[in-house]
Amino acid sequence: MSDPAVEKEAGPAAGGEIAQQEPRKREYKDFGHEEEKPTHAKVDMAQIELKAEDLYDKEKVDLETIEIEDVFTLLQCKDTGLDSEEAQRRLGLFGPNKLEAEEQNPFLQFLSFMWNPLSWVMEAAALVAIALSNGGGRAPDWPDFVGIVLLLLVNSAIGFYEERNAGNAVKALMDSLAPKARVRRDDKWQEIDSADLVPGDMIAFKIGDVVPADCRLTEAINVSIDQAALTGESLPQSKKTGDQCFSGSTCKQGEAEGVVISTGPNTFFGRAASLVGQDDDTTGHLQKILAQIGSFCLIAIGLFVLLEIVILYPAFHYSYRRGLDNILVLLIGGIPIAMPTVLSVTLAVGAQQLAKHKAIVTRITAIEELAGVTILCSDKTGTLTTNKLTIDKNLVKTYGPFSADDVMLLAAYASRTENQDAIDTCVVGSLADPKKAREGITLLDFKPFNPVDKRTEITYREESTGRLKRVTKGMTGIIVDLCSRNKTEEVENRLEADVEEFASRGLRALAVAYEELDHDDPEGEGNGFELIGLLAIFDPPRDDTKQTIDDAIALGVKVKMVTGDQLAIAKETGRRLGLGDHMYPAKVLKDGPTPGGKHLTLDEMIMDADGFAGVFPEHKYEIVKRLQGLGHLCAMTGDGANDAPALSRANVGIAVEGATDAARGAADIVLTEPGLSTIVHAIKGSRIIFQRMRNYSIYACAVTIRIVVCFAILAFAYKFDFPPFMVLIIALLNDGTIMTLSVDRVLPSNTPDSWDLAEIFAFAVAYGLFLTLSTVALVIIILETNFFEDKFGVHLSGHDYLGGFRKDHNDRELHMIVYLQVAIISQALIFVTRSHGFFFMERPSVALMAAFCIAQLISSIIAAYADWGFTEIRGISGGWIGIVWVWNIIWFLPLDLIKFAMKATIIKYLRERKQRQIKEVVSSDVPLTRTTSRAASIHESLYSNRVGFLRRAARKVGFGNNAPRMSQNELKRLGSIQAAHSGSVLARNPSRPH
């Protein structure tokens, strides 16, 4: 590497005869924003009473871009500010400059977890046990009532606890607003709460301040605004007079004055908060699945309850209380009331496991949805990239006698080492040792960057030679104009090509020039600048991002980049990550695909794209919403407030490490480690958890079928009256064992998981009917034969021989035998549902095996010793217990064969039918959507924890907040139409004459 301290022979000075020819003016197409020139409102400003349709037509009025004079006219204000009286009047018109968050009453929130059809049936059963069963000379059924109520309370308590721990996105957004603002009122500057700002106010802010409201600048001195958290742009943006600044952005340099054009929910920041709150009433994906599983169980139970009512009372002449006890058996035993609790525990344990991988779950049901995610929409700045500008050392261009390392060192000389801006930080940070930026030189004069000169400059003394030298760096066009040495046609052609190459790849070019001084005056002229190099600045991808994307694709998850940065930057980042560069600007979301292009619809274009650039909150939200409409479960990652709406809308919102409070509040999963690698762990972990939940769902539905069908058949065939309390004991022991599924050993799938309920119900019916047959066969042999008495010497102590061979069908010991048989084989079923092959080929967790053994021990002890007076049971001998165990083992072994038979026939048919339906949809060019029937939609709404009627009731009794919400039409606008609403309100409410 050459040493910049050594004398370099500069190139020839430009001049001579060539100077007589007028050189062409070169335009270096450096990368940057396209400037929008201010326009006039396309209406007669003299007629201030504008129509609503005019104000909401961005082509006529847009307070972000129209001439600043038109802004003052439209908002009926002056640059001297408002008076206190007018400000107070406008505060009444527009409301405070803050976001309203609806507070939910905790008690009503707790009650909402008891508001779904499964809970309704159990609540009805509790009422039946305590109120309707008080007849026939018998007391109310207190044991059943207490057991049912305990089950309901435990389920609600777990759900309530999990939801109360979730973050509040709107509150996080509100808290990040600037609390104070400097405003000009009554022709004098004063400090007020930012909540009191109104459209038309004159405000001022300086370096370090948070912009308190959307405004248009009337005066700007070296202003640079960091709005990365709002728009996703990597670099702070220079602002000049007439430009707009967003509320919530931070002033990084300079000071400014401006006129407020929108406040509160009408600001760019407020629209993000309003979008976050849009989906409060949507039903979660897991609630929809629970709704359909619950509906399946309810239909089965309802059918057999109806049959019992029709048969037991008219045909068998049952007494009121006797028939009611039989109905309670079906209600208590058939309803999988613990399903929400078991799934909540499974998800909660899964959340703890994900926390070990530095992923904090704020909405527990998001784990289940993450397992089925098919598309991951990722923000770029701070998520795929580091959000720290870097010099690409492989792309440094040199034009003089200096090497690439020399150019970078000299550029570092021309940078601040303290109070650095983003550019100076990345230039100095590119050195192996940042201290070299000041080693070997004595600083004599430094000119920092400003928006006018657009460059920095250092004059220093080289300690090794004592010579004075000067280095400048900045925008290419500015630096080239300063150069007078080595400025040949060849160098300018090379420079122009290099700058265009950088711009096409989304890289920002930084030119560096150098000159020497032949005297000791640091403010004197040098021997002329010569161009020595061009640096490429970009926001580099995180080290692990490429591997993370590859891993996600291997798991069947497609990754799309959705960024607020420019299209060229997005494409370059996509190329570096192997994500692809097939990306579109955000305007296609409004304009649609190009006529005659390869995409016929916008949905087709969104599916085909690798990403979108230049997007705003509404765009991200719309992309996620459309992908969901195409039948995909969508995950969205992000780190800024601009990501909050899409994070909230997505099935799974993921806030990366270092995210703003707004993003963390809107997200379902918050990462505490840099990068996206944690997401791969989370996806794999969520698929393990999904398998556990699927195994339980098959088990729960099968047990519903076996209880309902079994005891209904026994009642019809033998007038068998099984005690309701013993069904409750079976349910409690089963659910206690099944809780250990939350730590069971299962393998994750390599493709996104989905709830194929037809398969679940098919398996459940097959298993349930087989287990029913096992119980009915046992009862038939006991009642119709003396097989067990003759072979094993056992007998029913209370049986009564009527006509020589008839036994009491409701013998207390027979009740206990049936209890033990049902309890053992029902729990053993879980070993079949949890395995894909033979049950003994997939080892269960120690916890599950231990819980099963303990539960069976308890069941066997109850069978041997229980002689409870309040229920119709009596302990049985060891011989009967042994018979039941052997009987269950004989009937358990064929369960695997039933599973394989089902897979080879019915399940195979269901999967082939599903594939045919998908192919038919694809071939017909009709987008694949997840549709539901009207009945299904009603059921899903009933399972939502956020119950509409409870909210309305809360408002009527004074709970909650009645603040008006923004309309859907306004939220969908791509521009700042809400800002123009200020003028509309003032037009309808003109100022009073003074």
Side-chain angles (χ1 to χ4, degrees):
M1 179 181 72
S2 58
D3 187 353
V6 180
E7 287 290 328
K8 302 288 182 180
E9 183 179 348
E17 296 180 1
I18 300 178
Q20 296 176 1
Q21 182 178 353
E22 184 69 22
R24 69 183 179 90
K25 179 66 176 177
R26 295 177 183 267
E27 294 184 5
Y28 295 95
K29 297 179 180 179
D30 202 352
F31 173 78
H33 290 271
E34 295 182 3
E35 295 188 3
E36 293 187 6
K37 296 182 179 179
T39 60
H40 286 281
K42 299 178 181 179
V43 292
D44 186 358
M45 295 303 293
Q47 301 294 324
I48 194 62
E49 288 81 12
L50 297 176
K51 297 178 181 179
E53 54 265 28
D54 292 335
L55 283 168
Y56 283 86
D57 185 349
K58 193 171 181 179
E59 293 184 357
K60 293 182 178 180
V61 177
D62 183 0
L63 290 179
E64 294 182 0
T65 60
I66 62 175
E67 292 281 359
I68 195 69
E69 292 81 5
D70 288 354
V71 173
F72 281 112
T73 304
L74 189 62
L75 296 181
Q76 303 177 14
C77 59
K78 299 179 180 179
D79 57 6
T80 55
L82 304 172
D83 58 40
S84 298
E85 182 181 355
E86 176 64 12
Q88 196 63 34
R89 186 183 77 91
R90 296 190 180 201
L91 190 61
L93 290 175
F94 298 104
N97 179 37
K98 63 181 182 180
L99 307 180
E100 300 292 342
E102 183 175 357
E103 296 293 334
Q104 188 171 7
N105 180 263
F107 179 68
L108 292 176
Q109 187 179 6
F110 178 80
L111 289 182
S112 71
F113 284 94
M114 297 186 187
W115 189 260
N116 61 68
L118 291 180
S119 295
W120 293 342
V121 175
M122 291 304 288
E123 290 155 10
L127 291 176
V128 168
I130 195 63
L132 300 182
S133 62
N134 190 12
R138 295 166 62 185
D141 193 350
W142 286 105
D144 288 340
F145 173 77
V146 173
I148 294 169
V149 170
L150 283 176
L151 276 176
L152 286 168
L153 290 177
V154 169
N155 175 56
S156 298
I158 292 176
F160 173 78
Y161 174 78
E162 295 298 341
E163 185 160 301
R164 291 296 288 181
N165 282 345
N168 189 320
V170 176
K171 184 177 185 299
L173 283 165
M174 180 180 65
D175 291 343
S176 63
L177 279 172
K180 294 290 183 180
R182 185 167 173 78
V183 63
R184 191 170 187 175
R185 294 268 179 89
D186 300 318
D187 206 18
K188 61 182 180 182
W189 290 100
Q190 52 189 289
E191 191 175 80
I192 64 171
D193 289 338
S194 63
D196 295 332
L197 287 177
V198 295
D201 263 329
M202 292 296 298
I203 59 172
F205 53 87
K206 61 184 184 303
I207 183 171
D209 290 345
V210 176
V211 180
D214 283 8
C215 62
R216 289 284 299 277
L217 299 184
T218 57
E219 183 178 339
I221 303 175
N222 296 340
V223 175
S224 178
I225 300 293
D226 181 3
Q227 52 194 36
L230 293 172
T231 64
E233 294 166 304
S234 309
L235 290 169
Q237 301 298 311
S238 298
K239 299 290 184 179
K240 60 182 183 299
T241 300
D243 286 348
Q244 185 190 25
C245 291
F246 296 128
S247 66
S249 55
T250 305
C251 182
K252 289 293 188 181
Q253 182 176 319
E255 55 186 48
E257 295 179 11
V259 56
V260 174
I261 62 173
S262 56
T263 58
N266 287 326
T267 63
F268 181 97
F269 198 89
R271 293 204 310 279
S274 299
L275 286 171
V276 167
Q278 253 184 266
D279 291 294
D280 282 348
D281 291 320
T282 58
T283 305
H285 187 251
L286 186 58
Q287 276 85 15
K288 294 179 181 180
I289 300 303
L290 283 174
Q292 295 175 67
I293 294 176
S295 299
F296 171 82
C297 296
L298 288 175
I299 290 171
I301 294 167
L303 176 62
F304 283 91
V305 166
L306 184 62
L307 287 174
E308 285 204 345
I309 293 174
V310 171
I311 295 173
L312 298 184
Y313 288 111
F316 296 166
H317 305 291
Y318 267 33
S319 66
Y320 170 73
R321 180 63 181 269
R322 185 181 178 187
L324 208 57
D325 285 345
N326 277 273
I327 292 173
L328 275 176
V329 169
L330 304 192
L331 293 179
I332 297 172
I335 289 291
I337 181 58
M339 178 177 283
T341 305
V342 172
L343 296 186
S344 293
V345 171
T346 303
L347 292 171
V349 172
Q352 294 174 358
Q353 293 170 342
L354 290 179
K356 296 178 182 178
H357 293 291
K358 308 300 182 182
I360 299 173
V361 180
T362 61
R363 180 174 66 85
I364 197 167
T365 56
I367 298 174
E368 174 268 337
E369 297 181 35
L370 183 60
V373 162
T374 54
I375 294 180
L376 172 62
C377 292
S378 178
D379 183 48
K380 179 190 72 70
T381 307
T383 305
L384 298 175
T385 63
T386 62
N387 198 19
K388 295 178 181 178
L389 297 180
T390 302
I391 302 294
D392 191 330
K393 299 179 181 179
N394 297 321
L395 292 178
V396 176
K397 307 292 184 180
T398 59
Y399 305 98
F402 295 92
S403 68
D405 289 333
D406 294 340
V407 172
M408 292 173 63
L409 180 59
L410 290 171
Y413 285 169
S415 305
R416 285 179 182 263
T417 55
E418 297 179 357
N419 299 323
Q420 297 170 312
D421 60 21
I423 299 293
D424 287 348
T425 300
C426 83
V427 172
V428 175
S430 66
L431 300 179
D433 182 4
K435 293 181 180 179
K436 290 185 177 181
R438 289 295 180 266
E439 280 185 0
I441 64 171
T442 301
L443 175 64
L444 301 178
D445 184 49
F446 189 88
K447 296 178 181 178
F449 178 87
N450 65 76
V452 177
D453 295 333
K454 297 182 179 179
R455 66 185 181 94
T456 63
E457 181 182 289
I458 183 174
T459 304
Y460 63 93
R461 185 183 303 277
E462 193 173 63
E463 294 177 355
S464 60
T465 62
R467 299 283 301 274
L468 266 61
K469 299 183 179 182
R470 186 174 289 146
V471 180
T472 184
K473 73 177 194 316
M475 288 188 63
T476 309
I478 301 295
I479 299 301
V480 169
D481 288 344
L482 289 175
C483 294
S484 58
R485 301 173 61 82
N486 202 29
K487 193 174 181 180
T488 64
E489 185 74 13
E490 179 186 356
V491 168
E492 289 197 81
N493 287 338
R494 281 182 54 205
L495 176 64
E496 190 172 22
D498 291 339
V499 171
E500 288 187 5
E501 177 195 348
F502 285 0
S504 67
R505 297 178 58 180
L507 305 173
R508 185 157 298 194
L510 187 70
V512 184
Y514 166 87
E515 72 173 355
E516 297 181 359
L517 282 70
D518 297 329
H519 48 76
D520 288 335
D521 181 7
E523 297 182 1
E525 294 290 333
N527 65 347
F529 280 111
E530 64 173 309
L531 181 69
I532 61 172
L534 193 70
L535 305 180
I537 300 177
F538 73 111
D539 182 11
R542 294 181 184 271
D543 294 337
D544 63 343
T545 300
K546 188 178 188 307
Q547 184 61 46
T548 299
I549 291 174
D550 292 341
D551 292 343
I553 293 173
L555 290 172
V557 179
K558 182 174 175 60
V559 182
K560 294 181 183 292
M561 182 193 303
V562 183
T563 176
D565 245 328
Q566 308 301 302
L567 182 61
I569 293 180
K571 287 186 174 183
E572 177 66 14
T573 303
R575 282 190 289 264
R576 289 175 182 255
L577 292 173
L579 189 62
D581 58 1
H582 196 196
M583 302 188 185
Y584 300 98
K587 67 178 183 179
V588 302
L589 296 173
K590 179 180 179 182
D591 301 337
T594 305
K598 70 174 184 176
H599 301 119
L600 299 178
T601 65
L602 179 57
D603 288 338
E604 187 180 335
M605 175 180 284
I606 291 176
M607 280 302 303
D608 181 60
D610 294 321
F612 293 89
V615 302
F616 283 91
E618 294 91 338
H619 300 136
K620 294 185 178 185
Y621 183 91
E622 183 69 20
I623 291 168
V624 171
K625 187 175 180 180
R626 282 184 173 272
L627 288 172
Q628 290 172 330
L630 291 170
H632 291 276
L633 289 184
C634 190
M636 167 74 183
T637 67
D639 65 337
N642 65 313
D643 300 320
L647 288 174
S648 176
R649 172 71 199 192
N651 300 94
V652 183
I654 304 171
V656 298
E657 188 268 341
T660 62
D661 288 343
R664 288 197 296 267
D668 304 308
I669 297 175
V670 178
L671 306 184
T672 58
E673 226 175 40
L676 293 179
S677 59
T678 307
I679 292 179
V680 174
H681 293 296
I683 290 175
K684 291 179 179 177
S686 67
R687 291 184 182 179
I688 290 174
I689 296 164
F690 180 90
Q691 291 299 322
R692 293 168 180 162
M693 292 193 295
R694 180 181 181 274
N695 297 340
Y696 170 74
S697 298
I698 295 175
Y699 167 82
C701 292
V703 169
T704 293
I705 296 296
R706 88 88 81 244
I707 293 289
V708 171
V709 178
C710 173
F711 287 110
I713 289 176
L714 290 177
F716 299 153
Y718 291 107
K719 299 182 181 179
F720 186 79
D721 302 328
F722 192 73
F725 185 77
M726 298 312 294
V727 174
L728 192 59
I729 295 297
I730 292 174
L732 287 171
L733 289 176
N734 282 355
D735 294 335
T737 302
I738 298 305
M739 290 288 181
T740 58
L741 275 180
S742 59
V743 293
D744 191 25
R745 290 188 180 92
V746 293
L747 296 174
S749 62
N750 290 323
T751 56
D753 289 310
S754 62
W755 287 96
D756 196 327
L757 295 179
E759 290 187 16
I760 290 176
F761 296 153
F763 276 123
V765 170
Y767 294 143
L769 292 179
F770 181 80
L771 296 184
T772 294
L773 184 60
S774 73
T775 304
V776 172
L778 178 63
V779 173
I780 289 175
I781 292 175
I782 292 175
L783 292 179
E784 303 294 345
T785 73
N786 279 337
F787 176 78
F788 294 121
E789 287 87 341
D790 296 341
K791 295 293 184 182
F792 304 104
V794 296
H795 64 278
L796 300 178
S797 60
H799 73 254
D800 180 19
Y801 287 92
L802 301 175
F805 200 69
R806 294 188 60 192
K807 301 175 184 178
D808 183 2
H809 297 172
N810 284 301
D811 187 284
R812 288 191 170 199
E813 290 189 6
L814 179 59
H815 287 167
M816 186 63 85
I817 291 171
V818 172
Y819 156 76
L820 184 60
Q821 193 274 336
V822 171
I824 292 173
I825 201 166
S826 294
Q827 283 196 16
L829 176 64
I830 190 61
F831 296 108
V832 176
T833 63
R834 66 173 294 279
S835 59
H836 298 284
F838 287 103
F839 75 92
F840 53 82
M841 298 295 291
E842 298 181 28
R843 184 164 60 94
S845 66
V846 174
L848 176 59
M849 197 66 203
F852 173 78
C853 293
I854 292 172
Q856 300 320 308
L857 179 62
I858 293 173
S859 295
S860 298
I861 292 174
I862 290 175
Y865 299 106
D867 190 5
W868 299 326
F870 59 84
T871 189
E872 296 291 322
I873 59 168
R874 182 184 296 137
I876 56 177
S877 66
W880 278 116
I881 294 175
I883 288 171
V884 171
W885 269 98
V886 173
W887 179 268
N888 280 337
I889 291 172
I890 293 172
W891 282 85
F892 174 78
L893 294 177
L895 279 170
D896 273 335
L897 301 180
I898 292 176
K899 175 171 60 183
F900 299 145
M902 288 290 295
K903 287 184 176 180
T905 55
I906 296 177
I907 302 304
K908 180 180 179 182
Y909 165 75
L910 291 174
R911 291 177 178 175
E912 289 176 349
R913 185 183 67 174
K914 185 177 180 179
Q915 290 299 320
R916 286 196 302 269
Q917 291 174 343
I918 293 175
K919 289 180 179 178
E920 289 173 2
V921 170
V922 172
S923 61
S924 63
D925 292 329
V926 176
L928 178 62
T929 57
R930 184 181 286 112
T931 58
T932 57
S933 65
R934 178 177 175 81
S937 298
I938 293 173
H939 285 306
E940 290 164 9
S941 66
L942 294 177
Y943 278 82
S944 174
N945 287 332
R946 301 171 176 85
V947 184
F949 97 93
L950 284 176
R951 285 192 168 189
R952 291 192 293 273
R955 294 191 182 102
K956 287 183 179 179
V957 297
F959 296 128
N961 192 307
N962 290 312
R965 293 287 182 266
M966 296 179 66
S967 72
Q968 295 283 345
N969 291 334
E970 289 181 16
L971 291 171
K972 291 180 180 177
R973 294 285 181 175
L974 302 181
S976 200
I977 302 301
Q978 288 81 358
H981 178 65
S982 304
S984 175
V985 174
L986 290 172
R988 294 192 298 269
N989 300 271
S991 304
R992 301 185 185 91
H994 297 286

